[in-house]
Amino acid sequence: LEVGSGSVLGGLDAFTRAERLSGGRVYKCEKCKQKVQASKQLQIYQCPPILTIHLKRFAFSAQSRGGKLRHAVRFQSSLDLDRFTTHGESQQYELFGVIVHEGSSMRSGHYWSMVKTGPKGPWYRCDDSTVTQVSERQVLEVEAYVLCYRRGSEFHQA
C-alpha cells in the first residue's frame, strides 16, 4: 500500500478509487472493437480472516535505489473495510501484529515486531531474544512496515 497519503485509510481510498481510462490508456470494447473511454476500480470481493497490509516503505529510482520512505503513516487498532468492498457490508478488523524495519535502505536493517496476545490482552515488543510489554499507544506510534489485522469474530475465537 502506498504511504504517501499519510494513513492506511487514505492509502486504501487511493487504491480503490475509480480511475478514468483515457488518452493512451483507453479501453478497447470487445463487442464493437472500438477504443472507448471507460473507468476501472479495484475493490475487495471477499474479506479474509487475516488481513496483512504491506506499507510501501522503499523507493526505487536512479537516485534512491531502494532508499527508505520515512513518511508518518497513521494506522488504527481497529479497521472497518466496508467502504472498500463490493458489497459494502461491515468488516471489522482488530490489529494484532506490527512488523517494523529499522534501517535506511532495503539492503540493510533490522526487523522486529509487536504482537497482541488476545482481544483484551497486552501488547509485546519482540526484538531478537528480548520481549517487553508495551502500551497500545507505543504500538500506534511506530514506523510500521507490515500491519496484521484479524477479523473481529476470528480474533475472539483464537
Side-chain angles (χ1 to χ4, degrees), residues 9-82:
L9 291 175
L12 287 169
D13 277 332
F15 185 74
T16 58
R17 185 174 298 126
E19 181 182 349
R20 194 87 177 136
L21 302 176
S22 60
R25 301 179 45 217
V26 293
Y27 175 75
K28 185 175 181 182
C29 177
E30 292 181 18
K31 287 184 180 179
C32 69
K33 307 296 183 205
Q34 299 295 314
K35 290 185 178 182
V36 296
Q37 286 192 5
S39 63
K40 72 173 185 174
Q41 182 176 20
L42 298 173
Q43 289 184 301
I44 301 168
Y45 178 72
Q46 184 175 9
C47 293
I50 303 294
L51 175 67
T52 305
I53 299 176
H54 170 254
L55 301 174
K56 187 176 177 186
R57 286 281 184 195
F58 300 104
F60 298 93
S61 67
Q63 295 81 22
S64 72
R65 297 186 181 186
K68 183 106 176 246
L69 300 174
R70 297 201 170 271
H71 305 298
V73 179
R74 290 180 315 282
F75 58 96
Q76 299 77 20
S77 58
S78 62
L79 183 64
D80 190 349
L81 295 182
D82 65 339

Side-chain angles (χ1 to χ4, degrees), residues 43-154:
Q43 289 184 301
I44 301 168
Y45 178 72
Q46 184 175 9
C47 293
I50 303 294
L51 175 67
T52 305
I53 299 176
H54 170 254
L55 301 174
K56 187 176 177 186
R57 286 281 184 195
F58 300 104
F60 298 93
S61 67
Q63 295 81 22
S64 72
R65 297 186 181 186
K68 183 106 176 246
L69 300 174
R70 297 201 170 271
H71 305 298
V73 179
R74 290 180 315 282
F75 58 96
Q76 299 77 20
S77 58
S78 62
L79 183 64
D80 190 349
L81 295 182
D82 65 339
R83 70 181 198 238
F84 309 112
T85 66
T86 55
H87 335 338
E89 68 184 57
S90 181
Q91 293 292 329
Q92 294 289 330
Y93 284 83
E94 293 181 50
L95 184 69
F96 74 94
V98 179
I99 299 172
V100 177
H101 173 268
E102 286 183 351
S104 60
S105 78
M106 62 178 274
R107 293 194 174 112
S108 66
H110 176 70
Y111 292 91
W112 52 271
S113 65
M114 292 182 151
V115 294
K116 189 174 184 181
T117 58
K120 300 213 184 295
W123 280 93
Y124 292 95
R125 176 183 166 140
C126 305
D127 189 349
D128 294 333
S129 62
T130 305
V131 177
T132 53
Q133 190 170 339
V134 295
S135 69
E136 184 175 280
R137 182 185 56 75
Q138 289 173 290
V139 173
L140 298 176
E141 291 176 351
V142 298
E143 193 176 274
Y145 182 52
V146 176
L147 302 170
C148 302
Y149 288 89
R150 192 178 327 207
R151 198 165 41 210
S153 60
E154 305 293 327

